[in-house]
Amino acid sequence: MLIKTSTELSDSAVTPEAIYLQRRQFLQLGIAATASLLAPNIFAAANPFASATKSPLSTTEDLTPLDSVTSYNNFYEFGVEKTDPAQNAHTLITTPWTINVEGEVEKPGMISMDEILKNYPLEERIYRLRCVEGWSMVIPWLGFPLSHLLKAFKPNSRAKYVQFISVDRPEQMIGQKQKVFEFPYQEGLRIDEAMHPLTLLSVGLYGKVLPNQNGAPIRLVVPWKYGFKSIKSIVTIRLVEKQPLTSWQKAVPNEYGFYSNVNPEVDHPRWSQKKERRIGEFFKRKTLMFNGYADQVAALYNGMDLRKDY
Ligand SMILES: Nc1nc2c(c(=O)[nH]1)N[C@H]1C(S)=C(S)[C@@H](COP(=O)(O)O)O[C@H]1N2
Ligand SMILES: [Mo]
């Protein structure tokens, strides 16, 4: 293993901030893999999408075909029908793009997509996605853990929750213009959920840049929660002290809670959540607790009443 000398570590004055932060992140990992992680990252700068590494956190289930993943969507900014996003989302301009990270952090600021792709090596993560409506898919995302980005901005001790806000551009988004929902779309996670290794910021799928209808250029993926928590086209990430109100809580408070963990034992007020239809399959399958990620995430909710805090 390559051991860094103290002079190499103290050269932040001549190191671009982005690379410096990234290097520090690797040091924080504090594992023998540091050197091997740094090496492929040199090539990642050229084409981060081609050099994505496979993640052990991926499911081995059959993938949902690309055309289903990109033509059957929920993205109310472009209309409420499943086919609306694929038809209408081309009008969203996704370059240049920046995310503002603000609130309870030591280093608030902006980060551009270019910097994001430079700083955070991509992994392929094949996750199940379970929509609250009762359908599911298996999607090969390209992305990186949200925790990597959050740590670079140094959340302070008051940062108990993370609020996410989608882009607000009615002139580029027909559903926003027609006010089919309360925009901008907003979501939230508790800080430990946000820092969990499964929680991903995705910039691509099926080996390519994220299609607009899937939330380009950058969206959240939280695989153990209902799909609506996985907010698309993010422009603001705000660390906050109090649990933030989400769009769905605001819209229908008696139907949608803050946590919204996939739970076959807690029915939606208007339908059962015991089963789901995997897109492309004929028979319904059983919905799994935490969407099959219980081994990894159940401990986050120790001591909580999942029927009350849904
Ligand atoms: N900004 C925004 N994000 C959103 C939505 C939305 O309408 N607007 N829909 C959510 C819902 S209900 C689901 S199921 C997933 C769908 O993601 P996909 O279209 O990539 O499969 O996106 C979520 N993220
Ligand atoms: Mo959904």
Side-chain angles (χ1 to χ4, degrees):
M1 171 186 175
L2 200 146
I3 311 274
K4 285 181 173 293
T5 65
S6 58
T7 46
E8 278 180 277
L9 292 176
S10 61
D11 62 354
S12 63
V14 295
T15 310
E17 181 66 357
I19 295 173
Y20 170 67
L21 288 173
Q22 174 194 15
R23 195 179 287 171
R24 214 184 37 206
Q25 253 176 21
F26 285 127
L27 294 174
Q28 279 170 0
L29 283 175
I31 52 173
T34 302
S36 63
L37 281 172
L38 281 169
N41 194 40
I42 295 162
F43 304 105
N47 183 355
F49 294 86
S51 56
T53 54
K54 304 231 179 277
S55 169
L57 297 169
S58 289
T59 172
T60 54
E61 286 163 84
D62 290 344
L63 302 184
T64 301
L66 173 64
D67 67 319
S68 302
V69 173
T70 57
S71 66
Y72 187 89
N73 302 99
N74 276 330
F75 201 168
Y76 280 12
E77 284 86 338
F78 299 105
V80 296
E81 299 297 331
K82 293 286 178 290
T83 50
D84 285 342
Q87 264 173 38
N88 300 330
H90 62 274
T91 54
L92 178 64
I93 297 165
T94 57
T95 40
W97 192 276
T98 54
I99 294 185
N100 214 32
V101 184
E102 57 189 47
E104 301 292 353
V105 286
E106 280 177 38
K107 301 181 168 229
M110 254 162 40
I111 184 163
S112 69
M113 273 312 286
D114 291 345
E115 288 170 309
I116 287 172
L117 292 175
K118 233 178 274 162
N119 294 1
Y120 306 107
L122 299 183
E123 296 171 36
E124 183 188 65
R125 294 271 187 105
I126 306 170
Y127 282 164
R128 293 176 288 277
L129 175 91
R130 168 60 156 85
C131 176
V132 74
E133 296 165 338
W135 53 266
S136 64
M137 297 191 189
V138 177
I139 303 177
W141 303 106
L142 290 177
F144 58 92
L146 171 65
S147 67
H148 290 187
L149 181 119
L150 291 180
K151 280 176 191 162
F153 291 84
K154 296 195 151 217
N156 67 32
S157 61
R158 287 180 302 278
K160 302 274 166 47
Y161 293 89
V162 188
Q163 183 180 30
F164 303 87
I165 308 178
S166 291
V167 65
D168 190 17
R169 289 186 202 158
E171 71 286 359
Q172 291 177 20
M173 308 173 96
I174 184 81
Q176 273 197 349
K177 201 182 201 161
Q178 296 171 346
K179 300 189 163 71
V180 300
F181 194 70
E182 196 188 293
F183 297 114
Y185 195 97
Q186 304 198 17
E187 260 306 335
L189 293 174
R190 209 170 58 192
I191 189 79
D192 57 341
E193 298 177 321
M195 290 296 189
H196 193 279
L198 281 174
T199 304
L200 203 69
L201 277 174
S202 171
V203 298
L205 54 81
Y206 268 102
K208 297 216 172 81
V209 170
L210 207 56
N212 278 14
Q213 58 267 40
N214 294 95
I218 185 161
R219 58 94 54 87
L220 190 67
V221 183
V222 194
W224 72 93
K225 292 176 179 280
Y226 290 118
F228 64 83
K229 298 293 289 182
S230 294
I231 182 172
K232 296 175 170 180
S233 305
I234 297 166
V235 293
T236 303
I237 297 180
R238 187 180 294 142
L239 287 285
V240 293
E241 195 164 6
K242 300 232 164 68
Q243 185 176 298
L245 206 58
T246 70
S247 290
W248 281 104
Q249 283 180 293
K250 260 189 236 176
V252 205
N254 61 316
E255 294 189 357
Y256 300 102
F258 177 80
Y259 287 94
S260 296
N261 293 312
V262 174
N263 187 343
E265 300 309 319
V266 176
D267 289 341
H268 187 279
R270 289 181 282 131
W271 60 83
S272 164
Q273 293 292 25
K274 286 201 178 345
K275 289 188 172 182
E276 67 198 55
R277 189 180 314 283
R278 180 68 49 87
I279 296 299
E281 290 181 358
F282 183 73
F283 293 107
K284 286 195 173 180
R285 46 167 81 211
K286 279 190 175 156
T287 287
L288 303 175
M289 188 64 200
F290 296 113
N291 201 23
Y293 297 96
D295 285 351
Q296 290 104 310
V297 303
L300 294 173
Y301 308 102
N302 279 344
M304 268 176 68
D305 181 349
L306 297 176
R307 289 185 173 277
K308 244 180 78 225
D309 286 316
Y310 59 88

